[in-house]
């Protein structure tokens, strides 16, 4: 693994290591809880979003990212909500790029997006040093797309994906397969993605927040999906790791890569290298637990030093793992993915 170097010769480098010996090198930042879609597994139809005054300013986000980079974080992912619908998001990306990508302190700045804004923003993102993005796409059928996203237009997303590819950005497609919703499209999406040169990652739906769909009914174990896929494809395990929880296979017939993120049927916590910042400044050390540290308060009260001390507290609090159980009547965690940042 890459060993981060000290930020300055005068200050000793103090990597972020938690109580279980895991080093945090990856920060996910939710820049907004708002979204132009309302995907059925992610949000309710009538979501109430936070007042803008509660959302971190760009200056606060930058200060927090800088604090993490100084402590050895090498990868930052912007997410949400839909990160690309936040007003002037390009200005934030410009600032992070100029400060941390240009200096080489940050190895990667990346984005998870629903793709709706890529048509207009992809080229600029590429010039700012965004080399890879994840685009969420659960179906290639435009009617079904409307049903799942409640508001989205498939054509706009496909145009956005084209724009990203034309700009030289590597695209990874994220799909959440759900029983009786889109499980018949796993093979078509795989063929389409690999045919276009995109990796495909399947994400097991997680019990986060109240939504309209019955999660237990729609739950589809990715183990079952993998078994089904092996009836028509040769799946060869590969060592590829992106610092995330995905495990990857090579599909011999297509030559493409297929990832599985399986928080429910397989626990990936032992190698967890990440923490998540919500758009209000709460740092969650685990997507599936409530332990958190208020970084906005730490910054407002103590500036950079306050932030740094808060990161130490966060490392003490990082839990060993989540305990999602799909059969529970209540969601394991009340907050939606769009709040913590997917
Ligand atoms: N709006 C962007 C998007 O859709 O890619 C970024 C935020 S979204 C919350 C990030 C990822 O989380 C998406 O791939 C989405 O499919 C996934 N997601 C949302 N709710 C989920 C849930 N309950 N379980 C698993 N994945 C979920
Ligand atoms: Fe929006 Fe992404 Fe959630 Fe869909 S999955 S509602 S696009 S935040």
């Amino acid at each position: 693994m890459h060993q981060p170097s000290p930020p300055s010769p005068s200050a000793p480098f103090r990597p972020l290591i938690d109580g279980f010996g895991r080093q945090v090198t990856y920060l996910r930042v939710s820049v907004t809880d708002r979204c132009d879609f309302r995907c059925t597994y992610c949000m309710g139809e009538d979501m109430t979003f936070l007042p803008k005054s509660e959302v971190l300013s760009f200056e606060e986000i930058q200060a927090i990212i800088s604090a993490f980079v100084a402590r050895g974080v090498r990868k930052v992912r912007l997410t949400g909500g839909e990160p690309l619908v936040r007003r002037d998001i390009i200005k934030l990306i410009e600032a992070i790029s100029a400060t941390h990508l240009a200096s080489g302190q940050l190895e990667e700045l990346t984005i998870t997006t629903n793709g709706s804004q890529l048509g207009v923003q992809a080229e600029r993102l590429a010039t700012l040093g965004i080399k890879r993005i994840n685009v969420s796409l659960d179906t290639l059928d435009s009617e079904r797309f409307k049903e799942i996203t409640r508001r989205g237009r498939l054509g706009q997303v496909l145009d956005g994906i084209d724009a990203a590819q034309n700009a030289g950005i590597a695209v990874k497609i994220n799909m959440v397969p759900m029983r009786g919703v889109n499980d018949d499209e796993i093979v078509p999406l795989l063929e389409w993605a690999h045919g276009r040169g995109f990796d495909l990652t399947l994400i097991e739906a997680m019990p986060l927040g109240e939504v309209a769909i019955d999660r237990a009914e729609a739950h589809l174990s990715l183990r079952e999906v993998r078994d089904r896929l092996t009836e028509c494809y040769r799946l060869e395990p590969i060592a590829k790791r992106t610092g995330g929880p995905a495990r990857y296979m090579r599909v011999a017939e297509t030559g493409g890569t297929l990832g599985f993120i399986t928080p429910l049927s397989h626990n990936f916590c032992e190698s967890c290298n990440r923490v998540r910042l919500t758009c209000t400044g709460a740092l969650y050390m685990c997507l599936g637990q409530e332990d958190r540290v208020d970084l906005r308060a730490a910054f407002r009260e103590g500036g950079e030093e306050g932030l740094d001390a808060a990161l130490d507290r966060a490392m003490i609090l990082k839990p060993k793992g989540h305990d999602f159980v799909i059969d529970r009547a209540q969601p394991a965690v009340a907050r939606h993915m769009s709040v913590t940042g997917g």
Side-chain angles (χ1 to χ4, degrees):
M1 195 205 225
H2 173 85
Q3 284 303 314
S5 52
S8 99
S10 53
F13 173 57
R14 291 173 301 121
L16 294 168
I17 298 183
D18 74 2
F20 302 93
R22 297 168 299 190
Q23 184 179 354
V24 170
T25 55
Y26 180 10
L27 172 67
R28 297 168 76 103
V29 180
S30 174
V31 295
T32 177
D33 63 327
R34 288 167 198 254
C35 186
D36 48 346
F37 294 179
R38 298 285 185 281
C39 300
T40 48
Y41 55 85
C42 176
M43 293 189 181
E45 171 111 58
D46 307 310
M47 283 291 281
T48 312
F49 295 112
L50 295 163
K52 292 206 170 111
S53 57
E54 282 189 30
V55 174
L56 290 177
S57 68
F58 285 168
E59 290 69 26
E60 287 168 326
I61 294 176
Q62 263 179 269
I64 293 171
I65 290 177
S66 297
F68 273 101
V69 170
R71 301 285 302 266
V73 159
R74 291 294 169 264
K75 176 170 171 178
V76 171
R77 177 178 298 279
L78 305 182
T79 178
E82 175 46 43
L84 298 181
V85 300
R86 175 145 179 192
R87 186 198 285 253
D88 290 334
I89 185 69
I90 291 292
K91 286 192 182 152
L92 176 69
I93 297 171
E94 277 169 356
I96 302 170
S97 174
T99 326
H100 298 302
L101 276 183
S103 68
Q105 275 182 302
L106 196 60
E107 285 169 7
E108 183 169 33
L109 176 62
T110 184
I111 301 174
T112 297
T113 173
N114 65 24
S116 70
Q117 308 303 311
L118 284 175
V120 271
Q121 290 173 335
E123 228 167 275
R124 184 74 188 120
L125 294 174
T127 61
L128 292 174
I130 307 287
K131 295 197 167 61
R132 300 193 301 155
I133 49 167
N134 291 356
V135 182
S136 304
L137 184 61
D138 301 311
T139 173
L140 288 170
D141 178 281
S142 53
E143 276 311 302
R144 197 180 265 179
F145 188 85
K146 233 185 272 168
E147 279 164 30
I148 295 177
T149 64
R150 294 195 180 104
R151 311 220 164 151
R153 282 196 302 110
L154 177 66
Q156 188 178 344
V157 170
L158 294 179
D159 288 348
I161 291 172
D162 288 345
Q165 193 172 34
N166 291 337
I169 300 175
V171 175
K172 191 183 84 175
I173 304 294
N174 282 345
M175 174 193 197
V176 178
M178 290 159 286
R179 194 185 297 282
V181 177
N182 62 347
D183 52 340
D184 56 337
E185 281 198 78
I186 298 171
V187 168
L189 252 154
L190 183 142
E191 291 286 341
W192 172 82
H194 288 184
R196 293 278 309 261
F198 306 148
D199 289 353
L200 173 69
T201 293
L202 305 177
I203 306 177
E204 215 161 48
M206 289 174 254
L208 304 172
E210 291 287 354
V211 292
I213 59 164
D214 182 331
R215 291 202 195 272
E217 205 173 290
H219 175 63
L220 179 59
S221 155
L222 290 189
R223 222 173 251 173
E224 181 184 331
V225 170
R226 195 156 68 183
D227 289 347
R228 272 203 247 159
L229 284 173
T230 52
E231 288 166 17
C232 21
Y233 295 105
R234 250 183 327 121
L235 304 183
E236 302 158 348
I238 50 175
K240 173 176 164 144
R241 289 280 155 89
T242 52
R247 296 293 170 262
Y248 293 95
M249 317 281 274
R250 186 177 167 276
V251 181
E253 288 76 4
T254 62
T257 300
L258 178 63
F260 293 86
I261 298 184
T262 55
L264 295 171
S265 53
H266 173 255
N267 190 306
F268 49 70
C269 306
E270 66 282 354
S271 58
C272 181
N273 65 351
R274 64 200 44 211
V275 289
R276 294 176 149 86
L277 180 69
T278 71
C279 57
T280 58
L283 184 74
Y284 280 91
M285 276 63 76
C286 174
L287 185 61
Q289 301 285 6
E290 296 293 347
D291 311 84
R292 62 184 178 274
V293 171
D294 185 347
L295 293 188
R296 178 166 60 179
F299 183 55
R300 286 188 181 169
E301 287 155 21
E304 285 177 18
E305 275 176 31
L307 260 182
D308 194 54
L311 298 194
D312 289 326
R313 284 203 300 283
M315 288 307 98
I316 294 167
L317 284 177
K318 187 164 165 63
K320 192 167 183 200
H322 66 69
D323 55 358
F324 292 139
V325 179
I326 196 67
D327 304 332
R328 286 202 189 129
Q330 299 298 318
V333 169
R335 56 187 197 279
H336 291 86
M337 185 81 126
S338 52
V339 174
T340 323

